[in-house]
Amino acid sequence: NNDEAVGYLADRLAKLGVEDGLFKAGAKPGDTVVIGGDVGVVFDWGPTMMGGAELLASPRGTGLRLEEFIRPTRAQKREEHQDRKDARAAARAELEAERKAGIWTETEGYKEQSGDDDDH
């Protein structure tokens, strides 16, 4: 919630090469980044601009980049992250229930491979 802390974190991540790693991994501005798992830091990534004129016009913690949108709180980001994890787990459970019910199988001949063929 502190613009100065956000700027400091962005500077540190850039110096450590995290931004370059995110770019190479295919991250796009606005993607959610989780550092440290469930008890770590969760944020929407916005790459820093090393030579932008807007960085020279305002002191750290202020400027157009920070004013473009209202940043969700850390608690909101954690809640959204947990919601996404819960939704993925529910989808996996639903697919597994459908598989067990015989609605679909992973491969052709699944019943023969698994010994679930009713003809035996």
Side-chain angles (χ1 to χ4, degrees):
N1 293 333
N2 179 314
D3 290 343
E4 184 71 18
V6 169
Y8 177 79
L9 178 61
D11 291 348
R12 296 288 295 161
L13 292 176
K15 282 183 181 180
L16 292 170
V18 173
E19 278 202 350
D20 291 336
L22 289 169
F23 271 123
K24 288 177 184 173
K28 297 178 192 77
D31 284 351
T32 299
V33 174
V34 180
I35 298 176
D38 291 335
V39 295
V41 177
V42 179
F43 61 93
D44 291 334
W45 179 57
T48 59
M49 292 183 256
M50 295 304 191
E54 68 278 357
L55 296 178
L56 301 174
S58 60
R60 176 192 279 242
T62 63
L64 296 176
R65 184 172 66 95
L66 298 173
E67 295 173 10
E68 290 176 4
F69 59 93
I70 297 172
R71 294 179 182 268
T73 65
R74 190 172 181 186
Q76 289 170 325
K77 288 180 182 280
R78 286 182 186 276
E79 184 177 335
E80 290 169 2
H81 180 66
Q82 187 61 48
D83 289 346
R84 286 191 300 275
K85 285 175 39 178
D86 292 344
R88 282 193 301 266
R92 278 190 223 104
E94 183 179 342
L95 289 172
E96 180 62 13
E98 290 176 359
R99 185 191 67 78
K100 286 181 178 178
I103 294 174
W104 57 269
T105 60
E106 289 112 6
T107 60
E108 285 187 35
Y110 175 78
K111 287 188 176 187
E112 291 82 21
Q113 292 174 4
S114 66
D116 290 342
D117 194 352
D118 291 333
D119 293 338
H120 291 249

